[in-house]
């Protein structure tokens, strides 16, 4: 059995598929001939280029949604797909008489898909694997039609599905898919190949498999089985990606190579999140991470790497430092740049300083909100003090934070929460800069398996009905399907968020700065708005000491008092509380309820 894995739009074209590359390596190591076809590259350019607004819709899916609508005879769905294209390219149809923008899609696909698939013989046993990540199952349905027409005996398996419900929903929508694997795919796929080759106990023994039997969908008998050993020494195989680019004469020097240092999520607590559905949480040895980077550098000669993990820290700062130390050493000999995502709980100044030295010039982090109450309602383990610490030291270390997401519209959100976000904007006034630290306000997308979904009463779920892709599928396909198993949906937002957005814009359109100086024995704080002085304060001894002690670490009141008393045993709690209140009123120090998580907003090396 030969396995052909398929990477489809809208997967990014500037990076190999992390999941398919490791699947290929795993299957090949186990004696299964495997290759990856990068349809996202081969079929790139079906749509004319225009500014994509990826926050609202996957435009790269439109040609496939159009074809699916056509196959189902749904003219309205077809027209909707065309309308989205027209909205981006109105100048192409100034007389409004040639509005079938996507009408040429079938012709292009016929040619390109037939050319690529002509490499394979209809006589050889083939298993096509289609990844469903990023809604790749939509073009996957179109590809499946070609596969079944050209290779009558071929089988198709879909994967990259977090839950059995999602796998079942996609299988119900498309009868061309023979099997679905949900959760991690390495061993189930290997066992499926062996089952199809007739070498083991059959389909029912393949872990986390859905298959068709007697006209219905059937679950295999087990949901556990073996999981891929991330420290086994099997490394992702990206060769098919580079071969594809080279065959098309494309430049490979800016390719971003994916890395994996953890799987699952050690926190697994955020109520909006389904990231780790179907995954077992584990970490890779730091030495394995560096070994893979070295191998990739030697093989592909591109210095750009992206960690696919939701959080490279995995609640283990010691391990992170070990990875960073290895990469700092490697960076002394080789050019390397990384982008990664972190959950910044428990970060230290030392880690923040090591990150850019190790090549982490840009980092995504689990920001989510400016309000402690909203962060708590989301189930986040970080609080607003952690956010301030991270932003402050990222700025100091020169790390860019390209997308600090602010989630609006969670269940149980109240006006008072949004008002707190508005007020807390001021605590970060020295750090707003579109290049360096950008707020992005995003709606909550309610996902079927999330804790939030379970919290919303059934009669309120109807409010969550905004998902552009769902509306572009023919109605007949989605009838009887649990829409939350397929997609996540957002609800109309509280209009206070519009006021928040305006105030947020104000901060991004202006510059706050400050100085802290010792002058004739006094510590003088001065604040400037667009260069003009707006505030001058003489900081007393206690206030100065608080700013110093909470400059590089987050302290609760007890630890702060201990630190202060090491320098001045006479420090009394009442005066410290009063100074904290005064500093917070001036937005120079932030702390949560009951004087917890105290952090200086300014870099006060007094
Ligand atoms: S949002 Fe991130 S930290 Fe939270 S549960 Fe999801 S993956 Fe884990």
């Amino acid at each position: 059995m030969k396995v052909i894995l398929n990477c489809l739009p809208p997967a990014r074209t500037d990076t190999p598929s992390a999941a398919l590359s490791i699947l290929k390596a795993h299957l090949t190591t186990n004696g299964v001939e495997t290759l990856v076809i990068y349809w996202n590259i081969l079929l790139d350019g079906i749509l004319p280029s225009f500014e994509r607004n990826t926050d609202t819709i996957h435009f790269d899916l439109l040609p496939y949604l159009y074809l699916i609508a056509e196959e189902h005879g749904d003219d309205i769905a077809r027209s909707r797909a065309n309308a989205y294209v027209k909205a981006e390219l109105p100048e192409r149809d100034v007389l409004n008489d040639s509005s079938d923008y996507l009408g040429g899609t079938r012709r292009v696909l016929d040619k390109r898909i037939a050319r690529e698939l002509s490499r394979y013989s209809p006589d050889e046993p083939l298993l096509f694997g289609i990844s469903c990540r990023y809604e790749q199952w939509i073009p996957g349905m179109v590809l499946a039609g070609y596969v079944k027409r050209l290779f009558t005996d071929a089988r198709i398996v879909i994967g990259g599905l977090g839950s059995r419900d999602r796998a079942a929903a996609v299988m119900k929508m498309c009868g061309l898919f023979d099997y679905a694997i949900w959760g991690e795919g390495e061993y189930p796929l290997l066992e499926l190949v062996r089952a199809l080759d007739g070498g083991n106990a059959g389909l029912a023994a393949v872990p986390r498999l859905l298959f068709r039997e007697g006209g219905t969908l059937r679950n295999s008998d087990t949901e556990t089985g073996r999981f891929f050993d991330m420290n086994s020494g099997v490394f992702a195989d990206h060769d098919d990606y580079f071969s594809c680019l080279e065959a098309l004469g494309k430049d490979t020097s800016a390719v971003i190579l994916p890395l994996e240092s953890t799987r699952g999520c050690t926190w697994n607590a955020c109520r909006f999140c389904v990231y780790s559905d179907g995954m077992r949480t584990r970490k890779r040895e730091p030495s394995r991470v560096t070994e893979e980077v070295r191998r990739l550098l030697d093989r592909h000669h591109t210095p750009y790497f992206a960690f696919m993990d939701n959080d490279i820290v995995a609640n283990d700062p010691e391990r992170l430092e070990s990875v960073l130390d290895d990469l700092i050493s490697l960076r002394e000999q080789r050019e390397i740049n990384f982008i990664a995502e972190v959950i910044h709980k428990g970060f230290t100044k030392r880690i923040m300083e090591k990150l850019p030295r190790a090549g982490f010039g840009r980092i995504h982090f689990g920001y989510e909100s400016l309000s402690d109450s909203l962060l708590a309602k989301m189930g986040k383990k970080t609080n607003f003090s952690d956010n301030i610490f991270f932003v402050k030291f990222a700025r100091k270390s020169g790390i860019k934070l390209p997308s600090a997401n602010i989630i609006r519209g969670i269940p149980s959100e109240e006006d008072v929460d949004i008002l707190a976000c508005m007020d807390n904007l001021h605590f970060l006034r020295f750090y707003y800069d579109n290049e360096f630290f950008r707020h992005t306000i995003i709606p909550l997308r309610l996902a079927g398996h999330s804790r939030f979904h379970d919290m919303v009463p059934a009669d309120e779920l109807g409010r969550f009905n905004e998902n552009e892709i769902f509306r572009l599928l023919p109605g007949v396909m989605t009838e009887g399907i649990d829409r939350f198993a397929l997609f996540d949906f957002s609800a109309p937002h509280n209009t206070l968020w519009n006021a928040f957005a305006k105030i947020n814009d104000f901060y991004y359109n202006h510059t706050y700065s400050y100085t802290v100086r010792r002058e004739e024995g006094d510590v003088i704080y001065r604040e400037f708005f667009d260069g003009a002085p707006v505030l001058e304060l003489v900081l007393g001894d206690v206030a100065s000491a608080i700013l110093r002690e909470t400059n590089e670490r987050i302290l609760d009141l007890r630890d702060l008092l201990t630190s202060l008393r090491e320098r001045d045993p006479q420090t009394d709690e009442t005066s410290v509380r009063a100074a904290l209140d005064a500093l917070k009123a001036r937005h120079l120090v932030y702390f949560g309820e009951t004087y917890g998580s105290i952090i200086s907003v300014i870099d006060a090396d007094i």
Side-chain angles (χ1 to χ4, degrees):
M1 173 75 61
K2 180 188 278 184
V3 175
I4 299 175
L5 303 172
N6 299 276
C7 183
L8 287 148
R12 289 174 61 148
T13 55
D14 58 356
T15 181
S17 162
L20 299 185
S21 295
I22 196 70
L23 273 177
K24 177 186 173 182
H26 175 68
L27 292 178
T28 306
T29 304
N30 284 282
V32 179
E33 186 183 353
T34 307
L35 55 102
V36 185
I37 301 180
Y38 281 90
W39 295 107
N40 57 334
I41 297 171
L42 296 170
L43 302 178
D44 195 23
I46 289 182
L47 280 175
S49 67
F50 55 85
E51 184 90 9
R52 260 83 155 158
N53 182 352
T54 50
D55 285 344
T56 53
I57 192 167
H58 290 306
F59 280 98
D60 293 329
L61 292 176
L62 289 174
Y64 308 96
L65 289 160
Y66 174 94
L67 290 180
I68 291 165
E70 189 177 64
E71 279 170 16
H72 285 80
D74 189 331
D75 289 343
I76 296 291
R78 211 161 52 101
S79 299
R80 280 196 208 114
N82 266 326
Y84 277 105
V85 181
K86 176 164 182 164
E88 298 302 325
L89 300 164
E91 69 282 358
R92 289 195 154 217
D93 188 19
V94 288
L95 295 177
N96 198 34
D97 61 356
S98 58
S99 54
D100 193 11
Y101 291 82
L102 295 165
T105 302
R106 177 65 72 188
R107 202 174 50 250
V108 177
L109 288 193
D110 282 352
K111 204 166 144 199
R112 295 195 199 175
I113 293 180
R115 185 171 56 210
E116 183 61 26
L117 292 183
S118 67
R119 298 166 193 267
Y120 310 101
S121 162
D123 300 327
E124 60 183 332
L126 297 174
L127 175 64
F128 284 80
I130 290 177
S131 168
C132 293
R133 290 191 184 196
Y134 318 117
E135 321 304 356
Q136 288 178 60
W137 56 270
I138 291 172
M141 289 196 288
V142 176
L143 177 67
Y146 285 95
V147 168
K148 292 286 183 171
R149 280 195 290 278
L150 293 167
F151 308 98
T152 42
D153 294 331
R155 292 283 172 266
I156 299 176
V157 57
I158 55 172
L161 298 144
S163 68
R164 186 173 52 198
D165 290 351
R166 184 147 199 258
V170 180
M171 289 284 275
K172 280 181 196 154
M173 288 188 60
C174 181
L176 299 171
F177 298 147
D178 300 295
Y179 317 106
I181 290 169
W182 57 276
E184 292 189 35
E186 285 89 353
Y187 277 98
L189 184 55
L190 178 61
E191 292 188 29
L192 174 62
V193 172
R194 288 177 176 159
L196 294 175
D197 281 339
N200 70 359
L203 295 175
V206 176
R208 300 187 297 284
L209 183 78
L210 258 74
F211 56 100
R212 300 185 194 277
E213 192 176 75
T216 57
L217 277 182
R218 191 188 148 181
N219 292 303
S220 61
D221 296 338
T222 172
E223 295 191 354
T224 52
R226 285 177 74 185
F227 283 84
F228 178 66
D229 177 0
M230 296 181 74
N231 293 306
S232 64
V234 174
F235 295 100
D237 178 341
H238 305 307
D239 285 1
D240 292 328
Y241 173 81
F242 282 92
S243 301
C244 178
L245 287 182
E246 280 154 16
L248 294 171
K250 294 191 184 255
D251 180 22
T252 59
S253 60
V255 164
I256 302 164
L257 292 169
L259 293 167
E260 203 181 18
S261 83
T262 62
R263 276 201 194 172
C265 173
T266 43
W267 304 98
N268 202 19
C270 308
R271 296 191 176 109
F272 54 83
C273 178
V274 291
Y275 171 84
S276 56
D277 263 11
M279 283 198 249
R280 176 168 288 184
T281 298
R282 56 206 190 272
K283 306 171 213 173
R284 227 168 157 196
E285 299 292 336
S287 59
R288 285 291 188 202
V289 176
T290 328
E291 188 184 348
E292 178 158 29
V293 173
R294 282 181 192 278
R295 292 167 71 108
L296 291 172
L297 279 170
D298 290 342
R299 187 157 183 81
H300 299 300
H301 314 290
T302 163
Y304 306 110
F305 296 87
F307 281 92
M308 298 290 110
D309 322 25
N310 71 309
D311 170 25
I312 56 166
V313 194
N315 197 16
D316 189 347
E318 221 172 278
R319 174 182 163 278
L320 174 66
E321 281 207 64
S322 176
V323 172
L324 294 178
D325 289 340
D326 288 351
L327 295 178
I328 288 169
S329 302
L330 180 58
R331 206 156 178 256
E332 284 164 9
Q333 306 141 27
R334 313 287 292 262
E335 186 196 345
I336 37 174
N337 298 286
F338 301 95
I339 184 157
E341 186 165 339
V342 300
I343 301 300
H344 47 292
K345 190 78 193 166
F347 267 43
T348 60
K349 181 187 168 213
R350 197 172 63 207
I351 290 177
M352 297 302 294
E353 286 170 349
K354 283 184 179 180
L355 282 164
R357 288 172 53 213
F360 291 82
R362 289 193 307 146
I363 291 183
H364 297 287
F365 70 122
Y367 184 71
E368 329 297 15
S369 186
L370 297 98
S371 137
D372 279 329
S373 59
L374 281 178
L375 288 167
K377 286 177 181 178
M378 290 178 202
K380 296 295 295 183
K381 297 299 179 196
T382 44
N383 56 32
F384 186 51
S385 304
D386 296 315
N387 288 353
I388 292 173
F389 175 92
F390 191 78
V391 171
K392 175 174 154 180
F393 280 94
R395 179 58 169 260
K396 200 170 177 185
S397 308
I399 302 167
K400 289 186 176 169
L401 308 173
S403 61
N405 288 340
I406 297 170
I407 301 176
R408 69 167 188 230
I410 66 164
S412 77
E413 172 190 280
E414 297 171 274
D415 284 2
V416 66
D417 299 319
I418 307 169
L419 294 170
C421 286
M422 284 187 210
D423 187 51
N424 286 354
L425 276 167
H426 201 65
F427 283 103
L428 286 166
R429 62 196 177 283
F430 305 116
Y431 305 101
Y432 298 120
D433 174 338
N434 278 317
E435 276 296 296
F436 156 75
F437 164 52
R438 188 179 314 164
H439 275 163
T440 308
I441 305 167
I442 58 168
L444 173 82
R445 311 278 301 200
L446 190 68
H449 268 246
S450 64
R451 292 174 178 88
F452 270 152
H453 180 271
D454 298 341
M455 285 168 58
V456 177
D459 58 346
E460 280 183 33
L461 281 176
R463 268 191 347 104
F464 290 85
N465 66 355
E466 292 171 14
N467 179 296
E468 299 81 358
I469 299 174
F470 183 74
R471 283 174 47 75
L472 287 166
L473 286 166
V476 66
M477 283 183 84
T478 52
E479 258 170 37
I481 304 266
D482 173 9
R483 63 189 176 101
F484 284 101
L486 273 183
F487 296 108
D488 42 33
F489 293 82
S490 55
H493 64 269
N494 184 326
T495 49
L496 260 182
W497 281 111
N498 300 344
F500 173 89
K502 284 189 178 169
I503 298 169
N504 185 60
D505 287 346
F506 164 82
Y507 281 105
Y508 277 91
N509 290 332
H510 297 278
T511 306
Y512 283 86
S513 56
Y514 65 88
T515 58
V516 185
R517 297 217 171 94
R518 259 184 204 286
E519 293 177 11
E520 297 170 5
D522 288 329
V523 178
I524 312 290
Y525 170 83
R526 292 190 182 88
E527 190 165 318
F528 306 86
F529 175 72
D530 288 339
V534 287
L535 179 66
E536 180 169 315
L537 296 173
V538 178
L539 299 174
D541 290 345
V542 178
S544 300
I546 289 171
L547 289 170
R548 183 183 61 238
E549 294 301 327
T550 60
N551 189 29
E552 296 181 353
R553 56 194 175 152
I554 298 170
L555 296 175
D556 62 20
L557 182 58
R558 180 194 297 251
D559 291 335
L560 174 61
L561 284 168
T562 304
S563 298
L564 294 173
R565 284 171 182 155
E566 278 168 14
R567 288 196 180 217
D568 179 0
Q570 305 307 319
T571 305
D572 74 284
E573 186 172 333
T574 308
S575 59
V576 171
R577 283 175 184 260
L580 280 169
D581 290 340
L583 287 168
K584 190 175 186 187
R586 287 294 183 190
H587 293 81
L588 294 179
V589 155
Y590 180 81
F591 49 86
E593 280 179 16
T594 63
Y595 298 93
S597 300
I598 305 161
I599 177 77
S600 166
V601 166
I602 58 174
D603 186 10
D605 191 14
I606 305 167

